[in-house]
Amino acid sequence: MGKRRIPGGGLTVAAVVAAVLAACSGYGGTRDEHEGGEEAKPARSPLSVGALRKLAAEPGSSCPVPYDVPAALRAAGAEVGRVESGSVDGELPDDLDTPLARADGALVGCGYRVGAERARLFTVGVARGYAVDVMLPQIQHDARMGRGALRRYAQEVHEAEPGDAPLVAPGGNVAAVRLPTAGGGDLALVVTVGDDGRTRLSRHRVSALTQNLAHQAHR
């Protein structure tokens, strides 16, 4: 079973998340009802936070969330050549004072080689707050974002509804989307492509790839 730590370590992660959330209004809970518009209807039963905890505890050697990355890339119109699966990691709260522990969350990370680039899919669920907040240090690291841009990005994700279109970070190589959730809590998918804050994929294709993967996320 793989274990990972979000870049920065516990104290640095806590500082980054605390600073961003202090400036974001409305932190502290998810919305249970949709306010206008049409709710996206997943084809399969959505994930639950409890189900993600079980996947994170024993992630196995292949991604336990049934993502079909080649199919998602084709549907996004991305011609990248060979797609290879890589590392699989699971993370559960421990005794440290970390965002994952405070949110009573779980995280599954799945790595891929997409043509000449690296891609990583992070599926995160929390019982309290917003799932994307656990990933803010990772997003900041991979997207090369400043704190102000990270704060604005987090607020945009907070305001989105589960099933809405993904939010792409300013650099175009990171996208996040809130997932429909079975039961309480909050789930999100964060996709990062490329290295050093850059990817060969267009911003539109990163968004479409993330949207296609979100549609695949289920129990």
Side-chain angles (χ1 to χ4, degrees):
M1 178 175 68
K3 292 293 184 181
R4 67 178 296 280
R5 287 284 177 248
I6 294 171
L11 292 177
T12 302
V13 168
V16 170
V17 174
V20 171
L21 295 183
C24 288
S25 61
Y27 172 68
T30 59
R31 290 167 287 182
D32 295 327
E33 297 183 359
H34 293 264
E35 302 169 359
E38 295 184 0
E39 180 181 356
K41 299 294 193 299
R44 305 177 181 89
S45 298
L47 279 169
S48 67
V49 175
L52 190 67
R53 286 196 188 102
K54 293 179 181 179
L55 298 179
E58 296 292 339
S61 58
S62 61
C63 191
V65 183
Y67 295 120
D68 187 337
V69 175
L73 285 162
R74 288 194 300 270
E79 300 291 339
V80 298
R82 186 181 179 88
V83 177
E84 299 177 351
S85 58
S87 63
V88 178
D89 304 301
E91 188 172 343
L92 293 168
D94 51 28
D95 294 333
L96 299 176
D97 183 22
T98 63
L100 192 67
R102 289 195 296 274
D104 191 14
L107 172 66
V108 171
C110 302
Y112 296 86
R113 176 61 59 175
V114 177
E117 295 188 310
R118 181 177 62 168
R120 287 184 290 178
L121 282 52
F122 300 100
T123 310
V124 58
V126 298
R128 295 184 293 274
Y130 294 99
V132 73
D133 293 340
V134 175
M135 295 303 303
L136 291 178
Q138 185 80 54
I139 292 169
Q140 183 180 39
H141 176 272
D142 291 354
R144 302 298 191 264
M145 296 173 71
R147 186 164 293 181
L150 183 68
R151 182 176 64 248
R152 291 188 293 272
Y153 183 75
Q155 185 64 37
E156 289 178 358
V157 180
H158 290 179
E159 293 171 353
E161 294 286 352
D164 281 356
L167 279 301
V168 182
N173 71 312
V174 176
V177 60
R178 294 180 69 193
L179 299 174
T181 307
D186 190 50
L187 286 167
L189 169 65
V190 175
V191 176
T192 78
V193 187
D195 298 286
D196 299 323
R198 298 187 299 273
T199 176
R200 298 178 185 180
L201 296 182
S202 69
R203 185 182 183 88
H204 169 75
R205 290 200 166 100
V206 170
S207 176
L209 168 64
T210 305
Q211 184 76 84
N212 296 336
L213 291 168
H215 289 161
Q216 296 173 359
H218 65 277
R219 288 185 287 181

